[in-house]
Amino acid sequence: MTRIVRRPGAFVCGIDAAMDVIGGKWKVLILWALNEKTCRFGELRRAVPGVTEKVLSSHLRELEDDGIVHREVYAEVPPRVEYSLTPLGLSLNAALEPLGAWGRDHIYRGAGESGAEGAGAEAAAEPVAGLGKR
């Protein structure tokens, strides 16, 4: 599938292009949930607390258009739809792993300044799976 560029020619750098794909509050959480397993819409909604059906549906469509998410429709009664990451989506999650590690370190660093330095070091030493632990 060819990526549909929503802002053709407007990217200043690679970070700008990446943020166009993952921008917003919910997309990285959707990616994290799909990194864990293939999900149906309702499962995703429960895995990303606070997201509305409208926003989840919209983000899934955008991620599908960008070639990040695969939508599989099964010809059953009632119809079943499952969402999974494409190889491009898996590579995006791998690229986000260092950002997740930085975020965990940043959270623990703030707590560490009040005497809990060991928590940050332990978190940084944990293996990163998907986007990391929340």
Side-chain angles (χ1 to χ4, degrees):
M1 172 178 246
T2 305
R3 182 191 181 324
I4 300 167
V5 179
R6 289 187 289 275
R7 298 184 305 146
F11 299 121
V12 175
C13 64
I15 296 282
D16 189 23
M19 291 306 296
D20 184 56
V21 174
I22 63 168
K25 180 176 181 179
W26 305 108
K27 284 187 181 178
V28 291
L29 297 176
I30 293 166
L31 290 171
W32 178 80
L34 289 175
N35 199 61
E36 298 295 311
K37 66 177 188 160
T38 296
C39 293
R40 294 175 73 172
F41 187 86
E43 290 176 298
L44 270 175
R45 181 134 189 254
R46 287 187 296 278
V48 184
V51 69
T52 65
E53 285 186 23
K54 180 181 178 182
V55 169
L56 179 58
S57 179
S58 170
H59 283 346
L60 284 169
R61 244 187 328 273
E62 289 173 12
L63 289 166
E64 186 180 5
D65 288 344
D66 289 335
I68 304 298
V69 168
H70 173 71
R71 181 177 185 262
E72 182 76 29
V73 180
Y74 295 90
E76 300 175 354
V77 178
R80 177 171 52 114
V81 178
E82 292 182 343
Y83 297 91
S84 61
L85 292 178
T86 64
L88 186 61
L90 291 170
S91 72
L92 176 57
N93 265 355
L96 289 171
E97 284 178 7
L99 185 60
W102 182 90
R104 282 191 310 279
D105 186 49
H106 180 69
I107 290 168
Y108 289 119
R109 180 174 293 133
E113 290 173 5
S114 62
E117 285 87 12
E122 291 170 15
E126 290 179 8
V128 178
L131 293 179
K133 308 254 188 264
R134 285 200 258 179

